[in-house]
Amino acid sequence: MAAKKPEKTTKRTTTSGTRKKPAASGRGSSSKTKGADGGSGKTLIIVESPTKARTLSRVLGSAYQVKASVGHVKDLPPSRLGIDLDHDFAMEFEVNPDKKKILSEIRSQARLAREIYLASDPDREGEAIAYHIASELESLSLPLKRVLFHELTEGGIRTALEEPGEIDFRKVEAQKARRALDRIVGYTISPLLWDRVRRGLSAGRVQSVAVRLVCDREEEIRRFVREEYWTIDAMFEPTGPPPRVPPSFMARLDRIKGEKPVLSDESSAREAVDRIRNESFVVGSVAQTDKKRNPYPPLTTSRLQQDAANRLRFSAKKTMMLAQRLYEGVDLPGVGPVGLITYMRTDSVRVSPEAAETARAWIRSRHPDQLPSRSPSYRNKKGIQDAHEAIRPTDVTRSPESLKGSIDPDLFKVYDLIWKTFVESQMAPAHYLQTTVLLEGDRGDQFRATGRILKDPGFLVLRGVQEMAEPDADGGGGQDRILPPLVEGESVRATGAEPAQHFTEPPPRYTEASLIKELEDKGIGRPSTYATILSTIQEREYVEKKEARFSPTDLGKSVNRLLVDSFPDLMSVKFTARMEEELDQVEEGGRGYRDVVGDFYGPFHLELEKAKKGGMTNLKKLEEPTDVPCPSCGSMMVKKWGRNGSYLACSSYPSCRTSRNYVEEGGKIRIVEEETPDGEVCPVCSAPMTIKKGRFGTFLACSRYPECKTTKPWPPKAEVAVAVPEGELPLCPECSSPMALKRGRFGTFLACSRYPECKGTRPLPTGLTCPVSGCGGELVPRRGKRGTFYGCSRYPECTYLLNGEPVRDPCPVCGFAYRVRPGKKSEDLVCPNEACSDAVPRS
């Protein structure tokens, strides 16, 4: 089978989308094939993650060598654009500095291998990773085969290896196009925002549109005018002979003289109630209809994120992290790592016939009454990518109950959601008998009552019939309500009528689930990017969560306004959706990389130049007049913009330096008075301290600022209890005074007890000795650009580094003194000893 020969490169690869003649490769190489160095070696499989590598190693055994690239090995240079805008948008890729060691190990193992499979994830990003790894292995004489693991089970793995393919260069082109578009937007607009707003801001082709959706919704809420309305519910009972079950029922006023009731105030509602109390009613009609509620289709990536947010209160980022672990493999007692679900990035609701039949067999053995005559079919949305099945369990017989207590609770919740949704999708619908009764009054009033009885629970038996409160597919919903047996023309008596006041509600702010649904409905981004989009707009402080709903910050509103004014096309929802369609066309072969990027860059460049030449407002220099007097000198204050957002400043600056925070209520500005906590005085000049707000939260500042610039943390941060006895704390390295435990932005640390006279600090000791022979140092936490890591206290003499948190738990395989937790919430512990079979590579 043929595979395209990657472009020749050593450290850097420049690609412009031109295709080279593919190099020949054989399909199904013999086990007697010699390695690239002339010797006979193992089959090398290169995947993305160490967890996936462990799962494959367990299934395939010692004849295979599985190596993880740990994500992308190449990327655009971090310090410059890396795209030649004048020559077909050629992209300059270079090896990531932290992947040089991994690549070196891959090359070494590849030279000894008898055959090589590139097995990164089956999507655009995975295809690009495979392509870049291939570009680093092009000097080998062995052909490189591409395999796609849609599920990490023994059957799925063996099947994939028996049917290797080629790198899909259309997917590579589509990934390059997306990367180029995002890079051009980010690297050209972000510096503009630094200049006009504040440093550190960023703009994104998709994230900025997501922020716009949040800002537009906030503006809708601000403009919304609430309107009062009233409803009337009345209790009725039949006048015929008992027994009736139930003896009475509730109905709502539905018509007044044939028209919808318009009750805009209490007086009109009371007038209607008085009329109803003296009115005679008969049953006008009784209609009974069979209603069907179909199960939902199997989960797509978008639906998984939405359902996990609604049912489990998980963020999209957390959901995708857990789903990734379920796909790559979870350690099961007595079994080892097993892939529990199929690939979790998919737009399709398609299910393979084999998987459907397995589910039907499970249903037949446990709920035979709820097995439909044939497997239900679900239609995909127009234009979706159908490369992968829907998300489903790899083995239906592995029920959630069988895994309870064996896996992490959060993993269990996501697996339970996926398993039940899939099995339900293959079951029969639920059937209801719905009864609608219209009650006619002799003064022109009409009431409506609706009852519902479950006739056949169908798929609902899997979750329990008590969970029927979810809405019907036709919009109705709620628990069953039983009406008494009624016949047309029968008299009924109103035993009470109560008016209820209501107000129209503005559109709700977005939750994670509703924002994901809005992005999907409008075609913005792709399901695999939603988690990143939602995380990024929060990390950039453009939006914040209040009671689990997104609100734009002042910064988000200001940046959104600037971008909408200066880049109307880029910020257009329809334009962004069209760009996603064009990226799909690149993957389908309908358009080329250069065409898509070129068509975008031309108009965008004109808007960018216009913005640079003064088309974008400079918030740093903007002063907006207000009618708020300065509390110090009486001059009018102006709105200004600082790195922490907008604030009020005296227009008489610099003679008056008064500034205040403010809030806008009903279009009017109100100064937020500074709080002065009792007993808090400046340790330098003894003036009262006031509470201020900065980019990292609240703090105390001297009220004599700027004459005195003393600050203190607020609220006071209590020293945290750690597993280090007070008497064993080391002495200050600067003055030999006792040290004390303190908590800062990055966690707990040791600081001199004589602070601020002495500012000596050191990391918190762990009590774990450095494993390097003869070193004598100990492991201490350090802070890097990617978070906390652990290193030797004798750095730079000793450069031992460890990713993850060390745990005092000896390795059961080699006896190493401690093991490592790779992630903050990870339950897995791996041995840092590279010679151990349970090892994880250290950086």
Side-chain angles (χ1 to χ4, degrees), residues 506-531:
R509 292 185 174 93
Y510 289 111
T511 61
E512 286 225 358
S514 61
L515 183 53
I516 288 171
K517 187 174 189 307
E518 187 78 355
L519 292 170
E520 182 180 35
D521 290 346
K522 293 186 179 300
I524 300 170
R526 280 292 174 261
S528 59
T529 66
Y530 293 157

Side-chain angles (χ1 to χ4, degrees), residues 169-187:
F169 290 95
R170 294 188 299 193
K171 279 187 179 179
V172 176
E173 293 279 287
Q175 191 274 345
K176 281 172 48 186
R178 178 184 293 278
R179 188 76 179 93
L181 294 175
D182 292 344
R183 183 77 164 198
I184 289 170
V185 171
Y187 265 59

Side-chain angles (χ1 to χ4, degrees), residues 349-646:
V349 294
R350 175 176 57 83
V351 173
S352 69
E354 297 79 12
E357 184 52 44
T358 304
R360 287 174 61 81
W362 187 93
I363 298 166
R364 189 180 295 113
S365 65
R366 285 155 177 88
H367 304 286
D369 295 342
Q370 308 307 334
L371 182 69
S373 58
R374 61 180 183 178
S375 178
S377 61
Y378 298 96
R379 184 175 298 176
N380 282 318
K381 293 181 180 179
K382 184 179 178 181
I384 65 98
Q385 302 295 306
D386 193 29
H388 315 297
E389 286 186 66
I391 305 170
R392 60 170 176 82
T394 55
D395 183 358
V396 170
T397 62
R398 192 176 282 118
S399 66
E401 289 73 21
S402 69
L403 297 178
K404 202 162 192 175
S406 300
I407 63 175
D408 177 88
D410 286 346
L411 285 173
F412 174 83
K413 290 176 183 177
V414 175
Y415 181 76
D416 181 68
L417 175 62
I418 294 169
W419 188 91
K420 285 180 176 174
T421 304
F422 172 64
V423 175
E424 284 176 350
S425 74
Q426 303 302 308
M427 297 178 74
H431 289 272
Y432 300 88
L433 177 64
Q434 182 166 300
T435 303
T436 302
V437 177
L438 296 180
L439 308 175
E440 307 287 352
D442 58 4
R443 297 190 179 185
D445 295 312
Q446 183 187 82
F447 280 77
R448 177 188 294 267
T450 302
R452 191 178 72 166
I453 299 174
L454 180 65
K455 294 172 62 180
D456 184 353
F459 70 94
L460 292 173
V461 298
L462 201 61
R463 295 178 190 260
V465 178
Q466 68 272 15
E467 294 194 16
M468 291 185 304
E470 297 180 50
D472 290 56
D474 63 358
Q479 300 281 7
D480 286 0
R481 183 196 296 176
I482 301 176
L483 296 176
L486 298 167
V487 295
E488 292 183 13
E490 179 181 0
S491 296
V492 291
R493 179 171 56 249
T495 60
E498 292 295 331
Q501 183 186 37
H502 308 275
F503 292 92
T504 55
E505 295 291 335
R509 292 185 174 93
Y510 289 111
T511 61
E512 286 225 358
S514 61
L515 183 53
I516 288 171
K517 187 174 189 307
E518 187 78 355
L519 292 170
E520 182 180 35
D521 290 346
K522 293 186 179 300
I524 300 170
R526 280 292 174 261
S528 59
T529 66
Y530 293 157
T532 303
I533 292 169
L534 268 56
S535 297
T536 300
I537 62 178
Q538 293 177 80
E539 291 166 2
R540 300 298 183 189
E541 301 177 6
Y542 294 145
V543 303
E544 58 185 349
K545 273 188 181 177
K546 295 179 179 178
E547 298 178 351
R549 293 185 179 271
F550 288 118
S551 294
T553 61
D554 286 343
L555 176 64
K557 292 176 185 176
S558 299
V559 170
N560 176 67
R561 190 164 52 248
L562 292 179
L563 293 179
V564 169
D565 291 343
S566 299
F567 301 95
D569 282 345
L570 179 68
M571 296 294 289
S572 164
V573 171
K574 291 183 178 179
F575 177 83
T576 306
R578 193 176 79 241
M579 291 303 303
E580 294 295 340
E581 293 174 359
E582 292 186 7
L583 291 172
D584 291 342
Q585 290 172 13
V586 174
E587 181 172 338
E588 294 161 3
R591 298 203 67 189
Y593 160 79
R594 287 172 293 185
D595 297 333
V596 170
V597 179
D599 289 350
F600 167 82
Y601 184 71
F604 171 76
H605 179 67
L606 295 177
E607 289 183 344
L608 180 66
E609 291 303 310
K610 183 178 178 182
K612 286 180 177 179
K613 293 176 181 177
M616 179 182 282
T617 303
N618 191 330
L619 290 186
K620 292 180 179 180
K621 298 179 180 179
L622 185 65
E623 293 187 1
E624 186 178 335
T626 72
D627 57 0
V628 179
C630 174
S632 299
C633 70
S635 301
M636 291 297 110
M637 303 196 83
V638 294
K639 278 188 194 177
K640 298 186 73 172
W641 183 266
R643 66 180 183 177
N644 301 320
S646 58

Side-chain angles (χ1 to χ4, degrees), residues 27-75:
R27 177 173 175 175
S29 300
S30 168
S31 61
K32 297 180 181 180
T33 304
K34 292 185 177 181
D37 64 349
S40 180
K42 299 181 179 181
T43 296
L44 174 63
I45 301 178
I46 304 170
V47 297
E48 288 182 49
S49 89
T51 305
K52 191 173 179 181
R54 289 178 60 209
T55 303
L56 287 169
S57 296
R58 181 192 69 82
V59 172
L60 295 173
S62 59
Y64 291 81
Q65 180 75 35
V66 188
K67 181 66 179 174
S69 69
V70 197
H72 283 273
V73 295
K74 283 184 171 183
D75 201 356

Side-chain angles (χ1 to χ4, degrees), residues 297-314:
L299 291 171
T300 61
T301 304
S302 173
R303 273 266 320 287
L304 172 63
Q305 294 174 40
Q306 293 176 53
D307 285 7
N310 287 328
R311 298 185 184 192
L312 308 177
R313 297 295 183 262
F314 286 175

Side-chain angles (χ1 to χ4, degrees), residues 1 27-29 60 64 117 145-149 154-165:
M1 184 170 287
R27 177 173 175 175
S29 300
L60 295 173
Y64 291 81
Y117 292 95
K145 304 171 186 177
R146 178 78 169 111
V147 290
L148 305 177
F149 295 129
E154 183 164 358
I157 293 168
R158 300 287 183 190
T159 300
L161 290 175
E162 289 170 2
E163 300 178 356

